[in-house]
Amino acid sequence: MSEQPSPFRDDFRAWLAERGQDAYALVWVAEGSEPADFATAEAPRVGESGIARAGADLPRIALQEVTHGRAETLRRWLQLDDGVRHLAVLTAESGVLREHTPGELAAELMRDPSGDEARLSEQLAGWFHRRNAEAQQGLELGWIAAAAAWACHMRALAGCPPPSVLTPSLQRAGELDDPTADLVVTTALKVVELIDRLELAYRTRAELIEDWHAVEPLAADVPALAPMAVWLLDQIALRDAHAQQLRAVLEPDLTDYVRDRRPGRALQDTAPVLDEARTAHLAQAREAVRAYTAATHSGRQGDARQLLDAFPVPARALSTSGAAAAWRESSATAQDAVEDLAAQRAATAAEDSADPELLHAATSYLAAREAQLHLVHDALGRLAFPAPVPRDLPEALAPVAAAQTHSRLIEAFGTLERAAQTLEGQIHYQLQQPVPAHRRTTGAESDLLNRALGALEHARAAGAAFDEEDIRARLQEVMPRPATAAAAGPTAPTGHDAAHAQALVAGPAAYGVNRGPGS
């Protein structure tokens, strides 16, 4: 039987445990953010959503229903799985959440002497046939997608569909022949081999690229393979110096979050959650790095080069600027960032890696990250501690000096808006309760961030863009006015007059005003 429960409390683990020892929760798991460093991310457990892992974001789940017993749970999973979203099977004993694959449930039912093996095979055959029929590719490629889905979800039962499942599935489709059966078996076993290779301690870059090329085409029809494709792409990027330099430029500084989440620093349920602004910036950075890596290894070198050219690597500063030093002296997070970076550099220098590409890429990342951190700290220092105009500076250079703050902000963050988002996010993060016991001067850090944000807002207001509609209206008002020299009689038009008239007809774009879509 199954029950449709009312909305559960925040403590989902305890709530599910109260449903009974044989209670299973079928939940839809949405894609989540990736606050963790993908350099240390675990290999995905293909077929699982990972929602039961320590630190998983439980608000990503949407409860479908609660079932009781393995047989009913598997039957409902086979009916509800749509091949698009991830439907996870969860239990909770003593408040500990555990995720089960459908293959685990099926294997346990097959071993049960009192189980109905024929009925179970029929249910599995119905699901397997549906995975083929609903695959986007259709025809022969549909069986490839179905076989990959089997390998992901049912490999705990068998590496490929047994004859009791495969034969009736092919019969339903009217394709009961040896070539199709061989295609299904071969595909399933190859995917199982791919999944098993995830557990290997060491993989060469060439092997990772080969596996990614095998998995990536299947991920569109088998969502369970998507985490594997992404993980492989990240592992390839970790061995690419250019990809790591791009990552160093684009990723926001998460030093405060990383320190707060270290083991023993705070209870898992009370540790602060990364703010939305930096979460979004981090996701954008990961997306760009993956896009570059995919382009590089898909023969699209021009696309890869465009991404690198769009975000040039900053030059390393030979000395710390006064503005950066002032910010680091006042910001505990900035001090931590510099210390952590130095520790990473020392660890990398002392590492005797078996993979020279991995070591070279890590070194490239740290060098670019040091330069990027200096840009950020210099820009924030200029905001929070503006330097007085030098006494001997020529008057004409005063606005040039002031503009350097804008220049450094844009160089560090890309846009003034993005800089404001970052500061607002950090302020929000610092104000979360409860404050971790190890955190240094939280109040002072928040005040400093607010000070920088206030100066940034003032700078944004002072340098606000012209109102295009206002400019357009003024031009239209001026156009019909008669010239003051009309009373003196007509004069022959000159080339300049003709060009000027054409510019007026063309509108504001001719005067250097960018016209937006629909203007």
Side-chain angles (χ1 to χ4, degrees):
M1 64 175 284
S2 64
E3 62 176 280
Q4 294 288 347
S6 57
F8 47 81
R9 302 194 307 262
D10 292 338
D11 191 349
F12 177 75
R13 301 175 184 85
W15 178 89
L16 182 56
E18 293 172 358
R19 303 301 98 186
Q21 292 184 351
D22 65 342
Y24 292 80
L26 294 173
V27 300
W28 300 104
V29 183
E31 293 185 7
S33 58
E34 305 170 89
D37 183 357
F38 69 62
T40 58
E42 296 181 45
R45 299 168 190 165
V46 179
E48 296 184 19
S49 67
I51 199 64
R53 290 188 182 186
D57 187 12
L58 286 180
R60 289 165 50 202
I61 66 174
L63 181 65
Q64 170 66 33
E65 60 189 62
V66 172
T67 57
H68 293 272
R70 289 189 293 266
E72 173 66 8
T73 301
L74 179 60
R75 183 185 70 83
R76 288 297 291 150
W77 188 93
L78 293 172
Q79 290 177 343
L80 293 168
D81 174 51
D82 59 9
V84 178
R85 299 170 293 171
H86 197 115
L87 182 61
V89 181
L90 303 177
T91 58
E93 296 181 8
S94 303
V96 178
L97 207 59
R98 182 187 170 193
E99 183 171 1
H100 307 262
T101 67
E104 292 175 14
L105 301 180
E108 292 170 355
L109 289 169
M110 284 291 190
R111 290 192 294 265
D112 187 351
S114 62
D116 189 341
E117 183 175 341
R119 182 182 180 186
L120 176 59
S121 295
E122 180 183 357
Q123 292 173 351
L124 291 171
W127 170 80
F128 188 68
H129 171 262
R130 186 158 51 89
R131 289 280 60 78
N132 162 65
E134 296 178 359
Q136 293 180 7
Q137 297 105 326
L139 300 177
E140 181 181 271
L141 295 178
W143 287 116
I144 294 177
W150 177 279
C152 292
H153 297 294
M154 301 295 174
R155 71 184 184 282
L157 171 64
C160 60
S164 60
V165 173
L166 181 57
T167 300
S169 299
L170 297 176
Q171 285 177 332
R172 292 186 188 188
E175 301 180 56
L176 184 56
D177 53 67
D178 290 341
T180 304
D182 291 342
L183 174 68
V184 169
V185 172
T186 301
T187 301
L189 293 179
K190 285 184 177 179
V191 174
V192 169
E193 290 177 4
L194 282 172
I195 295 172
D196 290 342
R197 284 204 291 270
L198 289 179
E199 300 177 359
L200 296 178
Y202 174 72
R203 307 284 302 285
T204 66
R205 185 168 178 238
E207 290 171 336
L208 293 167
I209 294 172
E210 181 182 357
D211 287 350
W212 177 74
H213 280 296
V215 171
E216 196 270 338
L218 295 172
D221 273 321
V222 187
L225 284 173
M228 180 181 182
V230 170
W231 184 83
L232 287 169
L233 207 55
D234 288 345
Q235 294 304 305
I236 296 168
L238 287 172
R239 290 154 177 80
D240 186 311
H242 291 304
Q244 290 308 296
Q245 289 174 334
L246 184 62
R247 173 188 162 214
V249 172
L250 291 177
E251 279 191 349
D253 184 12
L254 305 182
T255 303
D256 47 358
Y257 174 80
V258 171
R259 288 213 164 192
D260 287 347
R261 303 293 291 194
R262 285 179 181 169
R265 283 290 178 89
L267 296 176
Q268 193 65 48
D269 293 336
T270 60
V273 178
L274 185 61
D275 50 276
E276 292 184 8
R278 287 186 294 171
T279 297
H281 293 174
L282 180 62
Q284 293 163 6
R286 300 283 167 83
E287 184 179 354
V289 172
R290 288 167 184 156
Y292 162 79
T293 308
T296 299
H297 299 290
S298 299
R300 296 182 287 112
Q301 299 299 332
D303 294 341
R305 172 51 57 187
Q306 287 178 354
L307 276 167
L308 293 181
D309 290 344
F311 302 99
V313 179
R316 291 178 61 187
L318 298 180
S319 60
T320 303
S321 66
W327 180 261
R328 291 171 183 175
E329 289 174 1
S330 302
S331 169
T333 298
Q335 294 171 20
D336 290 343
V338 174
E339 293 171 2
D340 285 359
L341 191 64
Q344 291 179 55
R345 291 180 69 90
T348 302
E351 184 178 353
D352 184 17
S353 175
D355 189 338
E357 287 183 321
L358 189 63
L359 185 59
H360 174 60
T363 303
S364 299
Y365 166 81
L366 292 173
R369 193 61 177 169
E370 180 183 357
Q372 182 64 23
L373 271 182
H374 183 270
L375 282 180
V376 171
H377 294 166
D378 179 83
L380 295 176
R382 289 170 181 268
L383 283 175
F385 309 103
V389 177
R391 182 180 58 183
D392 298 328
L393 186 71
E395 183 177 351
L397 289 179
V400 177
Q404 294 306 304
T405 296
H406 278 226
S407 175
R408 297 298 273 183
L409 280 165
I410 291 173
E411 192 176 3
F413 295 97
T415 64
L416 298 183
E417 180 182 4
R418 194 175 178 88
Q421 291 171 351
T422 300
L423 288 171
E424 289 169 353
Q426 287 182 281
I427 292 168
H428 174 79
Y429 180 84
Q430 289 287 327
L431 295 179
Q432 290 182 68
Q433 299 292 332
V435 177
H438 70 273
R439 179 94 59 79
R440 294 187 285 162
T441 60
T442 297
E445 187 82 10
S446 298
D447 291 343
L448 182 63
L449 291 169
N450 273 301
R451 180 177 177 179
L453 180 60
L456 176 59
E457 294 296 347
H458 178 74
R460 291 175 70 190
F466 290 112
D467 186 335
E468 297 181 17
E469 293 301 327
D470 179 63
I471 295 173
R472 185 176 293 109
R474 293 189 183 193
L475 283 171
Q476 295 297 330
E477 182 182 353
V478 170
M479 283 175 62
R481 290 181 182 176
T484 55
T491 57
T494 65
H496 172 77
D497 294 331
H500 180 67
Q502 290 176 4
L504 289 176
V505 173
Y511 287 83
V513 179
N514 295 323
R515 301 176 69 181
S519 297

